[in-house]
Amino acid sequence: GVPPHGPHHFYAAIALIHSQDNHITGVEDCRRHIVPVTDNHCCTRIVGDGVHSFGQFTRIQDAINSLPVEGGKVCVREGLYPEEIIIGDDRGPIVIEGCGEHTVLVTPDAPAQPAIINVADTREGVTVTSLKMRAKRGAIDVNNVRNIRLLDLDIIEEEPVTGDTSEVPLIRAILGRHLELRSLRIDTVRSTTPPPNVPAVSLDGKTHVFADSEITTRSRIGIEFNGTLARFERLNVLQTAFPGLLPRSAIRLGESAEEARIEHCRLALRGELGDDAVVDISGRRIVVSDNELITEDVSAPFAWGGAHLRSGDHIEFRNNRITGGSGHGITLGSVLWQAEAGGDFHREGGGKRQHRLDGINGGDLRDGYADAAAGVQFIARADAALDNVLISGNHIEFMQGNG
């Protein structure tokens, strides 16, 4: 006479469905995904795009937000990820690792951040490795961060979103410390939109290493450094010209650069006549040694080329091979330019007013130059001093100016 004990029914939410006006507007997966045993605890979180791969999350940002306070490793499986990622707290070290060229991060259609990956105000360290990035604005933006490692990345600059006039470097580090960039491949495929008037890579801060990487850029400075303690080693930088524009320097060290070394690099300009040298050097305690500085004369006239030691103190320029250019192998010192009517000073490349349009060295700085479009005549003023320079063991050939 005892009633049956069952059956008993138990329910678990599999998904939460959002709707409006009898139409489904979204679905949230309520299941907790199990990490495959083959990951062997290497991945703290797993991201898949839901099409080419599957994981615990479909958005990288959601995976990062779910990390414990001690940080962890986010493994991003193959797929396409159109999102902007923000890392900005002091949780433990974070690693974002993809599957090489099969993991592709792209700028979303309506970008709101400077870059695809944005890291700010964290001191615990972030590593980004083994990804491909298709950037319509910036790729990686770092602000006031320590211990950043960017390793084995393919970064491609694409045409910007329609109407986006932002001028942002592909990689920018502001007030950073201990930044390591290694095995990067940076290229631009822009063909219809002129490049922004900012470097492809802009670094300041302290204690950086940039090595074993390739950069191809069009009419924008390849690398600009304005910090302290940096090594640029075994880089291959090719500067070409965007249609209607001139090639720019492969590497520029600004006035605030200090204790920087450029060594064992291949740096080249290719394009029509321009005023920029292959390297543009200012700063204090700078060493430039054992590099190839090449100007490729694919057409005549061609770029100024060589090295421009602009201003600074204790600069060593040793054992470099300089080949080709419409200017001098090494240009020493610099001028500032100011409108005859007064106003702000600005700088131009080392060849400004030192060559004629036929590519033969000549001209006179005292004549100034005219900006015909603006209807302004500019005159030369003295720039900062250049002191304590050592030039030794360099090989200079095929220059149209002096050695």
Side-chain angles (χ1 to χ4, degrees):
V2 178
H5 292 85
H8 297 284
H9 298 277
F10 299 91
Y11 300 92
I14 296 176
L16 181 62
I17 300 174
H18 302 273
S19 66
Q20 185 176 1
D21 299 327
N22 294 320
H23 293 285
I24 295 175
T25 58
V27 177
E28 291 184 50
D29 191 345
C30 297
R31 297 170 296 176
R32 182 173 180 179
H33 293 262
I34 299 174
V35 177
V37 295
T38 53
D39 280 311
N40 197 27
H41 304 292
C42 292
C43 301
T44 314
R45 300 289 187 267
I46 299 175
V47 183
D49 71 349
V51 178
H52 304 90
S53 61
F54 299 90
Q56 299 162 291
F57 300 88
T58 56
R59 297 181 70 249
I60 301 169
Q61 185 70 65
D62 292 340
I64 292 171
N65 293 345
S66 76
L67 287 172
V69 68
E70 62 268 22
K73 182 176 181 179
V74 176
C75 297
V76 187
R77 300 305 188 211
E78 64 179 38
L80 188 66
Y81 300 89
E83 61 176 299
E84 293 174 320
I85 300 161
I86 299 174
I87 303 173
D89 55 31
D90 273 337
R91 73 183 72 201
I94 294 174
V95 176
I96 302 173
E97 181 175 10
C99 299
E101 63 179 12
H102 302 293
T103 300
V104 184
L105 278 60
V106 300
T107 305
D109 292 335
Q113 300 298 323
I116 296 174
I117 297 178
N118 304 270
V119 188
D121 302 317
T122 177
R123 292 171 291 179
E124 296 300 326
V126 175
T127 298
V128 181
T129 181
S130 196
L131 297 169
K132 185 173 184 177
M133 309 180 75
R134 289 171 22 202
K136 299 178 181 179
R137 190 182 275 186
I140 299 172
D141 195 81
V142 175
N143 192 337
N144 192 27
V145 177
R146 296 184 182 183
N147 303 317
I148 294 289
R149 303 176 75 219
L150 308 179
L151 311 174
D152 191 23
L153 303 176
D154 282 296
I155 299 174
I156 299 174
E157 180 193 29
E158 296 187 334
E159 300 290 343
V161 175
T162 301
D164 185 3
T165 58
S166 302
E167 295 204 337
V168 182
L170 287 170
I171 298 177
R172 178 172 62 180
I174 303 172
L175 300 177
R177 297 191 63 163
H178 304 293
L179 176 65
E180 179 183 357
L181 304 94
R182 199 177 295 273
S183 299
L184 307 186
R185 293 161 295 280
I186 300 174
D187 198 1
T188 175
V189 295
R190 283 192 181 190
S191 58
T192 60
T193 307
N197 190 30
V198 293
V201 179
S202 177
L203 307 175
D204 66 16
K206 189 173 183 179
T207 318
H208 301 328
V209 176
F210 196 170
D212 304 310
S213 299
E214 297 182 3
I215 301 175
T216 301
T217 182
R218 308 178 75 188
S219 296
R220 67 190 296 190
I221 293 168
I223 303 168
E224 184 170 81
F225 177 67
N226 285 285
T228 304
L229 287 171
R231 302 198 319 268
F232 301 93
E233 302 170 338
R234 299 178 302 279
L235 301 177
N236 188 344
V237 183
L238 173 61
Q239 171 65 240
T240 64
F242 186 87
L245 299 177
L246 302 176
R248 304 296 304 278
S249 295
I251 297 181
R252 173 189 286 174
L253 303 185
E255 287 184 292
S256 56
E258 189 168 347
E259 296 188 57
R261 306 179 71 93
I262 303 173
E263 297 176 307
H264 305 289
C265 297
R266 186 185 190 277
L267 311 173
L269 299 188
R270 178 191 298 164
E272 298 176 357
L273 181 64
D275 294 322
D276 280 17
V278 181
V279 292
D280 188 319
I281 305 298
S282 299
R284 301 178 65 243
R285 295 192 292 276
I286 306 297
V287 176
V288 182
S289 70
D290 300 286
N291 303 286
E292 289 184 85
L293 311 181
I294 301 168
T295 301
E296 301 179 0
D297 54 342
V298 294
S299 62
F302 45 97
W304 181 257
H308 185 188
L309 308 187
R310 186 182 289 273
S311 63
D313 189 16
H314 287 89
I315 296 176
E316 297 183 23
F317 193 83
R318 298 184 277 103
N319 303 324
N320 301 284
R321 186 179 187 93
I322 302 174
T323 303
S326 63
H328 311 309
I330 302 173
T331 301
L332 298 174
S334 181
V335 297
L336 298 171
W337 296 96
Q338 184 184 36
E340 277 189 326
D344 294 336
F345 296 97
H346 70 277
R347 289 182 170 85
E348 297 282 355
K352 192 68 176 182
R353 283 301 300 146
Q354 294 195 70
H355 54 64
R356 294 193 293 268
L357 292 179
D358 60 4
I360 301 173
N361 190 59
D364 192 327
L365 292 173
R366 294 171 295 182
D367 295 337
Y369 77 94
D371 185 334
V376 177
Q377 179 72 26
F378 288 93
I379 56 177
R381 304 292 191 190
D383 200 349
L386 178 66
D387 294 320
N388 298 309
V389 177
L390 170 66
I391 298 175
S392 174
N394 301 286
H395 180 98
I396 302 173
E397 61 184 359
F398 303 124
M399 305 302 300
Q400 290 197 7
N402 299 307

